[in-house]
Amino acid sequence: MKIFVPVKRVIDYAAKIRVRPDKSGVDTNGVRMSTNPFDEIAIEEAVRLKEKGIAKEVVAITMGPKASEEVLRSSLAIGADQGVIVNTDKPLNPLSVAKLLQKLAETEKPNLIIMGKQAIDDDCNQTAQMLAGLLKWPQATFASKIEISESKDSVKVTREIDGGLETLSMKLPAIISCDLRLNEPRYAKLANIMKAKKVQLTTKTPEDLGVQLNENLKIVSVEEPAKRSGGSKVTTVDDIVASLKKHSLI
Amino acid sequence: TSCLVVAEHDNQTIASSTLNTITAASKLGGKVSVLVLGNKCNGVSDALTKVQGVSSVVAVDHPSLEHPLAEAISPVVAELSKKENHSHIFAPASSFGKNFVPRVAALLDVNAISEITKINDADTFVRPIYAGNAICTVKSSDSFKVGTIRTTAFEKASLSGGSASVVSANDWAAPLIEKSLSETGIKWDSGEIKKSERPELTSARVIVSGGRGLKSGENFKILEELADTLGGAVGASRAAVDSGFVSNDLQIGQTGKVVAPELYIAVGISGAIQHLAGMKDSKVIVAINKDTEAPIFQVADVGYVGDLFKAVPELNDALKKAK
């Protein structure tokens, strides 16, 4: 079984977000970048399937500028076998990413694609669903449990939905997007990080794949959110009750 | 404009998220058509004809629509949008809408716009990014504008005042559904939805929410008692969920539910960015925490520094007396 895991390089979850004064976007200069946390969960899950002998090969795929290769190295250090970068400096929206992944999937024929449910930069939560639609494959989003059948031709996925859980059965090939509670990603060992540096990566371009990037959704502005004027403190429980009364909440 | 709203429901009643989405669709100023996909869901379709702002209701009734699988509903939504020439397709940004809306966009070869909080005009939409740490305005030149609506950003449409009628689309939709289900080989196995006496988190007027400071799942009992006094719902931070105190469906935050009640009481919650992203649009925020430096106090209208195990029962008693 071959598994594809798309991974994205994003501003680290712990870094402070600074909006550029010209409102053109968020400042990434000198900001710590890392693998999208949901994608780390996806890599971890794929590597565990390999360690259990269910999967043979885990291919990490990223897209964007050359610096994105970092997240491929991190994925290799966790246990992915191969890294592929679709190299472009142009902005990529989820539709373009899904189309590029579609082309890769059509030639490489993975049995399963596991990816994060959303990237923590644009918070889109779209690529897995779009890719499933383009490939006409079944999808299970927001997965918290993945069980491959013994015959390796189907998968049972438990999904986190509003108000509870549901379980779906899908024939392979299929697409799964990961939620937080699927697993806890391991830390890569130093020896594996060193080994990952030596792996030859595959580089492709959107042109190689014959994909026209979609530019129909343009960013008009990126602004700071409105600030809340909080900060006032009270000393007794009666003060809380009094202010709830003042706000006509009781 | 002509907007198609895909209704969220449980085959018996309209989910309140659908009513928020209808309000968002009405802001476009044109027709609002609602699509109901379900199994024996006539009651939902009929109720939607009376909702303020709805111009027409299209119903698809099929046994395999008992649970809303993206594979079953996406081809129908895409096909109906083409048949009826809709300019916009909206659904709530709930686990229901997030699951299928991007799939519809891909079938139509257009972008999807997630978690819309404001509609500037027919092509321009506002949405939060970076967990609400930045606000992004986007302009679409796609032939269909496909998006999910953040329900807390729009009021609920009134359940009365409309006079639309129901048209069935079973004849052309049923074959599409059956084809897609056999093509993808997907099956719904089982589900467990927790039934609660308390209001649903995303539509509750009051939310009492607990964090790691609660120390255990049993201790959430004091929050439940306070919530019941106020007629509210109980929520939790990711830290409380990750510590195993409560189940994931209570999680409020960037990766959980986004809420904006009239009153949000944060108990033993430090106020990590990812939690604030899910609740900072609440009208009044009360924070109870023993750590003076906790970031939650920076957004709280009322901050109480002290022991929550003492303060919460005291507050509950005081509120009961004040009633």
Side-chain angles (χ1 to χ4, degrees):
Chain A
M1 177 183 292
K2 185 194 277 191
I3 305 180
F4 268 16
V5 186
V7 285
K8 186 177 186 183
R9 180 175 179 261
V10 298
I11 293 182
D12 188 84
Y13 75 95
K16 178 146 176 59
I17 301 304
R18 289 189 314 260
V19 172
R20 287 195 208 116
D22 67 357
K23 297 185 181 177
S24 64
V26 165
D27 200 356
T28 51
N29 279 333
V31 178
R32 187 183 149 87
M33 307 291 284
S34 55
T35 307
N36 177 41
F38 289 103
D39 301 347
E40 275 187 331
I41 295 173
I43 283 282
E44 174 68 34
E45 192 68 15
V47 170
R48 286 185 192 184
L49 288 172
K50 200 180 86 171
E51 288 165 346
K52 282 183 201 152
I54 295 168
K56 272 218 170 67
E57 195 184 8
V58 176
V59 184
I61 302 165
T62 195
M63 294 178 187
K66 196 152 176 10
S68 298
E69 287 183 2
E70 276 171 32
V71 298
L72 293 180
R73 301 279 175 209
S74 310
S75 305
L76 291 163
I78 291 174
D81 302 285
Q82 274 191 61
V84 178
I85 176 166
V86 179
N87 187 214
T88 176
D89 289 326
K90 293 202 183 117
L92 289 168
N93 56 33
L95 182 62
S96 297
V97 172
K99 286 181 178 180
L100 293 164
L101 288 169
Q102 178 193 10
K103 291 291 173 193
L104 289 169
E106 282 167 357
T107 30
E108 303 283 322
K109 302 201 168 15
N111 308 82
L112 189 60
I113 301 178
I114 309 181
M115 54 207 293
K117 73 166 180 178
Q118 77 189 68
I120 61 163
D121 50 5
D122 60 24
D123 287 337
C124 275
N125 190 336
Q126 298 172 359
T127 308
Q129 298 91 312
M130 285 182 160
L131 180 58
L134 294 174
L135 289 166
K136 296 196 163 49
W137 287 7
Q139 68 177 61
T141 51
F142 324 143
S144 61
K145 194 173 176 194
I146 298 175
E147 299 159 279
I148 309 278
S149 68
E150 247 172 76
S151 50
K152 294 188 195 173
D153 60 354
S154 69
V155 61
K156 208 184 253 280
V157 181
T158 303
R159 309 178 54 225
E160 307 214 345
I161 57 169
D162 293 341
L165 298 169
E166 73 175 16
T167 306
L168 306 176
S169 289
M170 307 188 288
K171 275 190 221 144
L172 296 183
I175 295 182
I176 299 172
S177 85
C178 306
D179 218 319
L180 277 175
R181 298 206 297 176
L182 181 61
N183 63 47
E184 215 165 295
R186 72 193 72 181
Y187 288 101
K189 292 198 183 92
L190 186 62
N192 294 342
I193 294 172
M194 299 314 285
K195 233 187 335 184
K197 287 188 179 168
K198 294 186 194 117
V199 176
Q200 180 75 43
L201 303 174
T202 307
T203 304
K204 290 182 189 290
T205 63
E207 295 73 36
D208 293 342
L209 296 169
V211 172
Q212 181 85 40
L213 301 182
N214 177 295
E215 294 176 48
N216 288 348
L217 194 63
K218 298 249 193 276
I219 291 176
V220 178
S221 69
V222 173
E223 294 171 65
E224 296 256 3
K227 288 259 183 298
R228 267 194 90 94
S229 53
S232 85
K233 297 244 174 74
V234 297
T235 49
T236 70
V237 166
D238 287 337
D239 293 337
I240 302 179
V241 177
S243 54
L244 293 185
K245 274 193 183 137
K246 200 184 82 193
H247 286 102
S248 320
L249 288 162
I250 47 169
Chain B
T1 61
S2 165
C3 184
L4 180 67
V5 169
V6 186
E8 178 169 14
H9 60 85
D10 61 1
N11 292 309
Q12 266 123 45
T13 48
I14 310 173
S16 62
S17 59
T18 302
L19 301 172
N20 304 107
T21 307
I22 290 170
T23 299
S26 304
K27 302 256 183 228
L28 293 164
K31 280 192 187 148
V32 177
S33 183
V34 181
L35 172 61
V36 182
L37 296 137
N39 182 29
K40 303 195 183 89
C41 55
N42 316 6
V44 176
S45 310
D46 289 340
L48 276 161
T49 60
K50 300 184 186 73
V51 171
Q52 183 83 47
V54 173
S55 342
S56 61
V57 176
V58 178
V60 179
D61 217 298
H62 194 279
S64 66
L65 294 175
E66 176 73 25
H67 305 283
L69 293 171
E71 292 78 354
I73 64 183
S74 304
V76 179
V77 177
E79 184 61 24
L80 182 65
S81 307
K82 286 191 246 176
K83 271 183 194 287
E84 296 191 344
N85 256 325
H86 292 294
S87 54
H88 294 71
I89 304 162
F90 286 172
S94 55
S95 62
F96 162 77
K98 289 173 179 176
N99 185 47
F100 78 89
V101 165
R103 189 167 180 126
V104 169
L107 297 181
L108 293 169
D109 193 23
V110 297
N111 289 282
I113 305 163
S114 299
E115 307 254 5
I116 295 169
T117 52
K118 194 168 164 238
I119 296 168
N120 286 359
D121 59 49
D123 308 321
T124 318
F125 308 91
V126 179
R127 54 180 302 267
I129 54 174
Y130 291 93
N133 283 303
I135 305 297
C136 184
T137 303
V138 291
K139 190 175 168 72
S140 166
S141 56
D142 275 324
S143 48
F144 297 92
K145 277 72 173 171
V146 179
T148 56
I149 300 298
R150 181 167 283 191
T151 53
T152 54
F154 298 89
E155 301 288 319
K156 289 187 195 67
S158 162
L159 282 166
S160 61
S163 57
S165 53
V166 182
V167 180
S168 168
N170 280 356
D171 55 341
W172 62 262
L176 271 186
I177 293 169
E178 285 151 20
K179 179 168 172 269
S180 180
L181 287 176
S182 85
E183 219 168 49
T184 53
I186 188 153
K187 257 185 32 237
W188 187 92
D189 282 345
S190 61
E192 40 169 310
I193 298 294
K194 291 209 185 65
K195 287 274 170 235
S196 168
E197 299 294 305
R198 299 191 185 88
E200 204 199 335
L201 265 179
T202 46
S203 55
R205 217 185 116 258
V206 176
I207 295 175
V208 181
S209 202
R212 210 193 314 261
L214 266 292
K215 294 196 178 124
S216 78
E218 291 85 72
N219 289 338
F220 265 70
K221 207 158 174 261
I222 59 171
L223 301 191
E224 288 167 6
E225 285 163 3
L226 179 58
D228 290 342
T229 303
L230 290 161
V234 174
S237 71
R238 184 176 152 192
V241 173
D242 285 351
S243 306
F245 299 169
V246 289
S247 65
N248 180 73
D249 53 310
L250 296 190
Q251 184 184 318
I252 291 166
Q254 176 195 13
T255 54
K257 291 194 172 63
V258 177
V259 299
E262 310 250 321
L263 171 61
Y264 189 91
I265 306 183
V267 183
I269 292 179
S270 64
I273 290 172
Q274 101 93 29
H275 184 74
L276 299 183
M279 47 64 81
K280 68 180 165 52
D281 292 328
S282 305
K283 295 220 171 63
V284 175
I285 297 173
V286 175
I288 298 174
N289 202 306
K290 65 172 190 236
D291 175 12
T292 323
E293 301 298 316
I296 190 79
F297 287 123
Q298 288 162 26
V299 301
D301 304 282
V302 183
Y304 174 92
V305 184
D307 179 11
L308 70 92
F309 295 104
K310 194 170 149 277
V312 173
E314 262 182 47
L315 179 60
N316 191 21
D317 288 341
L319 288 171
K320 275 189 189 154
K321 267 185 222 142
K323 268 193 169 177

